[in-house]
Amino acid sequence: MTALLEKALNEASGLPEVEQDKVATLVLEELSRARILAGIERGEAAIREGRTCTQAEAKERMARWLK
């Protein structure tokens, strides 16, 4: 469990269970969103650094992986 999730759940522990579930759901959704944005940032960094390949190269790599 991440520190953010733990903190949110601890803060929500005094709330009714339904509200605790809402808090947990919200935190998990935000963590998921943060992971997606981090992945996009890694992709953008790869483009800036020239760590890309052509579609043909990608097809060739995938063909080797899928053997």
Side-chain angles (χ1 to χ4, degrees):
M1 188 179 309
T2 68
L4 174 62
L5 180 56
E6 269 185 63
K7 183 176 180 179
L9 294 177
N10 286 337
E11 293 290 326
S13 64
L15 298 173
E17 190 172 331
V18 172
E19 295 301 316
Q20 289 180 23
D21 290 345
K22 288 179 184 178
V23 169
T25 300
L26 178 62
V27 170
L28 290 173
E29 287 172 355
E30 287 302 312
L31 287 172
S32 177
R33 182 176 181 272
R35 287 185 187 117
I36 290 168
L37 292 174
I40 292 169
E41 176 57 34
R42 284 192 306 274
E44 289 174 342
I47 291 168
R48 284 191 302 272
E49 296 166 6
R51 294 183 288 122
T52 60
C53 62
T54 65
Q55 184 175 2
E57 292 169 329
K59 283 183 179 182
E60 184 180 318
R61 290 180 187 180
M62 289 300 295
R64 286 185 293 201
W65 292 341
L66 298 174
K67 283 184 181 179

